[in-house]
Coordinates of all heavy atoms in Angstrom, one line a residue:
R8 N -37.6 -1.7 -20.7 CA -37.6 -0.4 -21.4 C -37.8 0.8 -20.7 O -37.3 1.8 -20.8 CB -38.4 -0.6 -22.7 CG -37.8 -1.4 -23.9 CD -38.4 -1.1 -25.3 NE -39.8 -1.4 -25.1 CZ -40.3 -2.5 -25.5 NH1 -39.5 -3.5 -25.9 NH2 -41.6 -2.9 -25.5
E9 N -39.0 0.7 -19.8 CA -39.4 1.8 -19.0 C -38.3 2.1 -18.0 O -38.1 3.3 -17.8 CB -40.6 1.3 -18.3 CG -41.8 1.4 -19.1 CD -43.2 0.9 -18.3 OE1 -43.0 0.6 -17.1 OE2 -44.2 0.9 -19.0
E15 N -32.2 7.0 -18.1 CA -31.7 7.8 -19.0 C -32.1 9.3 -18.7 O -31.3 10.3 -18.8 CB -32.1 7.5 -20.5 CG -31.3 8.2 -21.5 CD -31.8 7.7 -22.9 OE1 -32.3 6.5 -23.0 OE2 -31.8 8.4 -23.8
T16 N -33.5 9.5 -18.3 CA -33.9 10.7 -18.0 C -33.3 11.3 -16.8 O -32.9 12.4 -16.7 CB -35.5 10.7 -17.8 OG1 -36.1 9.9 -18.8 CG2 -36.1 12.1 -17.6
W64 N -31.8 -0.1 5.1 CA -31.1 -0.4 6.4 C -29.8 0.3 6.6 O -29.1 0.6 5.7 CB -31.1 -1.9 6.6 CG -30.4 -2.7 5.5 CD1 -31.1 -3.3 4.5 CD2 -29.1 -2.8 5.2 NE1 -30.2 -3.9 3.7 CE2 -29.0 -3.6 4.0 CE3 -27.9 -2.4 5.8 CZ2 -27.7 -4.0 3.5 CZ3 -26.6 -2.8 5.2 CH2 -26.6 -3.5 4.1
L118 N -26.5 -35.1 1.4 CA -26.9 -33.9 0.5 C -25.6 -33.1 0.2 O -25.4 -32.8 -1.0 CB -27.9 -33.0 1.2 CG -29.3 -33.5 1.2 CD1 -30.2 -32.6 2.1 CD2 -29.9 -33.6 -0.2
R124 N -20.8 -33.4 -5.8 CA -20.5 -34.0 -7.1 C -21.3 -33.4 -8.3 O -20.7 -33.5 -9.3 CB -21.1 -35.5 -6.8 CG -20.3 -36.4 -5.9 CD -21.0 -37.7 -5.7 NE -20.2 -38.6 -4.8 CZ -20.6 -39.7 -4.3 NH1 -21.8 -40.1 -4.5 NH2 -19.9 -40.5 -3.5
I125 N -22.4 -32.9 -8.0 CA -23.1 -32.3 -9.1 C -22.7 -30.9 -9.6 O -23.1 -30.4 -10.5 CB -24.7 -32.4 -9.0 CG1 -25.0 -31.5 -7.7 CG2 -25.2 -33.8 -8.8 CD1 -26.5 -31.3 -7.6
D129 N -19.0 -32.3 -16.1 CA -18.2 -33.2 -17.0 C -16.7 -33.1 -16.5 O -16.3 -32.3 -15.7 CB -18.3 -32.9 -18.5 CG -18.1 -31.5 -18.8 OD1 -17.4 -30.7 -18.0 OD2 -18.7 -30.9 -19.7
S140 N -8.3 -24.1 -8.5 CA -8.0 -24.3 -6.9 C -6.4 -24.3 -6.9 O -5.8 -23.8 -5.9 CB -8.5 -25.6 -6.5 OG -7.9 -26.7 -7.2
A166 N -6.9 -19.5 -22.2 CA -6.0 -20.6 -22.8 C -6.9 -21.9 -23.0 O -6.7 -22.6 -24.0 CB -4.9 -20.8 -21.9
G193 N 1.9 -5.9 -12.1 CA 3.0 -5.1 -11.6 C 3.4 -5.5 -10.2 O 3.9 -4.9 -9.4
E211 N 9.7 -26.1 -17.4 CA 8.4 -26.2 -18.1 C 7.6 -25.0 -17.9 O 6.8 -24.6 -18.8 CB 7.7 -27.4 -17.4 CG 6.4 -27.8 -18.2 CD 5.7 -28.9 -17.5 OE1 6.2 -29.7 -16.8 OE2 4.5 -29.0 -17.8
T215 N 6.0 -23.0 -21.1 CA 4.6 -22.9 -21.2 C 4.2 -21.4 -21.2 O 3.3 -21.0 -21.9 CB 3.8 -23.7 -20.1 OG1 4.4 -25.0 -20.0 CG2 2.4 -23.6 -20.3
E228 N 5.4 -6.4 -20.8 CA 6.6 -5.5 -20.8 C 7.7 -6.0 -19.9 O 7.5 -6.8 -19.0 CB 6.1 -4.1 -20.2 CG 5.2 -3.3 -21.0 CD 4.8 -2.0 -20.4 OE1 5.3 -1.7 -19.3 OE2 4.0 -1.3 -21.1
V249 N 18.7 3.0 2.2 CA 19.3 1.9 1.3 C 18.4 1.7 0.1 O 18.8 1.5 -1.0 CB 19.5 0.5 2.0 CG1 20.0 -0.5 1.0 CG2 20.5 0.8 3.2
K263 N 22.2 4.1 -18.9 CA 23.4 3.9 -19.7 C 23.4 2.5 -20.4 O 24.4 2.2 -21.0 CB 24.6 3.9 -18.8 CG 24.8 5.3 -18.1 CD 25.9 5.4 -17.2 CE 26.2 6.7 -16.5 NZ 27.4 6.8 -15.6
A275 N 18.6 -6.1 -9.4 CA 18.1 -5.4 -8.2 C 18.9 -5.9 -7.1 O 19.2 -5.0 -6.2 CB 16.6 -5.9 -8.0
A281 N 25.2 -3.0 -3.5 CA 25.9 -1.7 -3.6 C 25.5 -0.6 -2.6 O 26.2 0.1 -2.0 CB 26.0 -1.2 -5.0
E288 N 25.4 -0.2 5.8 CA 24.5 -1.1 6.4 C 24.9 -2.5 5.7 O 24.0 -3.1 5.1 CB 23.1 -0.8 6.2 CG 22.6 0.4 6.9 CD 21.1 0.6 6.7 OE1 20.3 -0.3 6.7 OE2 20.7 1.9 6.6
T291 N 26.2 -9.3 3.3 CA 27.2 -10.1 2.6 C 26.4 -10.5 1.3 O 25.1 -10.5 1.2 CB 27.6 -11.4 3.3 OG1 26.3 -12.2 3.5 CG2 28.2 -11.1 4.6

Side-chain angles (χ1 to χ4, degrees):
R8 281 200 297 272
E9 284 176 4
E15 193 177 333
T16 309
W64 46 263
L118 284 171
R124 284 174 182 172
I125 63 172
D129 53 26
S140 65
E211 188 185 337
T215 311
E228 293 182 359
V249 175
K263 296 182 180 180
E288 293 184 38
T291 63

